[in-house]
Amino acid sequence: LVGSAVASRDDKAAYARSMVSSLDWGVMSTISTASDTAGAPFGNPQSHAEVDGNIYYYVSDVDQSMLDIAVNNQVGYTLSNAEALSSPACGSIPYAGDEESPLCSRLSITGNFVNISGTDEEEQATDALFKAHPAMKNWPADHSWFVGKLEITQLWEINMFGGASHITPAQYYAGTDAN
């Protein structure tokens, strides 16, 4: 499944793709290099855009996450359907759901963050980012902005009761669990 249509909860890879394409931000987790939290997990809200399943970011060299990535480029990126503020399963109707409910789908993506400046995909990624997040065009030029990409190594998803599903990058990019 490509696009923002809601996929069946039974096809975990298709559902993961629909979450990435329909949500436009998540929490990026790195291993902190800041002097007061060195070695500890660090989570930071991050906007993204998706093109053919690829996840792109418009980021600054002065951001703590990018300082961490300069030392260790392995990251986690977490999305939750609670971001949409529209799901009864996620608690938009009191007592009907909760952000931690397995029915309030969540996806944790692990991979390597890479700077794609100067590559063939940079223009398409930048266009997608500025379309999804128009305010980015007006951010201060003196912050060393660049486009990064998450090279996915593993996906972990909960979208119903019964435990987590592990999704391979091949399944995710194919948009289906079937191989």
Side-chain angles (χ1 to χ4, degrees), residues 75-131:
V75 302
Y77 190 59
T78 303
L79 304 173
S80 169
N81 277 347
E83 296 169 29
L85 301 176
S86 62
S87 171
C90 298
S92 64
I93 299 173
Y95 308 107
D98 187 85
E99 296 83 352
E100 195 176 337
S101 166
L103 298 177
C104 184
S105 303
R106 54 190 172 264
L107 176 66
S108 185
I109 306 166
T110 306
N112 297 307
F113 187 94
V114 295
N115 182 336
I116 63 164
S117 298
T119 68
D120 292 341
E121 65 187 311
E122 180 185 19
E123 183 178 347
Q124 183 179 21
T126 302
D127 290 346
L129 284 158
F130 288 177
K131 182 178 179 185

Side-chain angles (χ1 to χ4, degrees), residues 12 102 156-165:
K12 305 302 184 178
W156 177 96
E157 175 183 84
I158 290 182
N159 70 354
M160 64 177 64
F161 289 95
S165 297

Side-chain angles (χ1 to χ4, degrees), residues 7 28 50 66 69 72 78-79 82 86 92 108-109 116 119 121-122 142 145 147 151 155 167 173:
M28 181 179 289
E50 176 267 341
M66 296 306 108
I69 286 168
N72 179 350
T78 303
L79 304 173
S86 62
S92 64
S108 185
I109 306 166
I116 63 164
T119 68
E121 65 187 311
E122 180 185 19
D142 64 348
W145 300 101
V147 177
E151 292 184 340
L155 300 95
I167 303 163
Y173 285 112

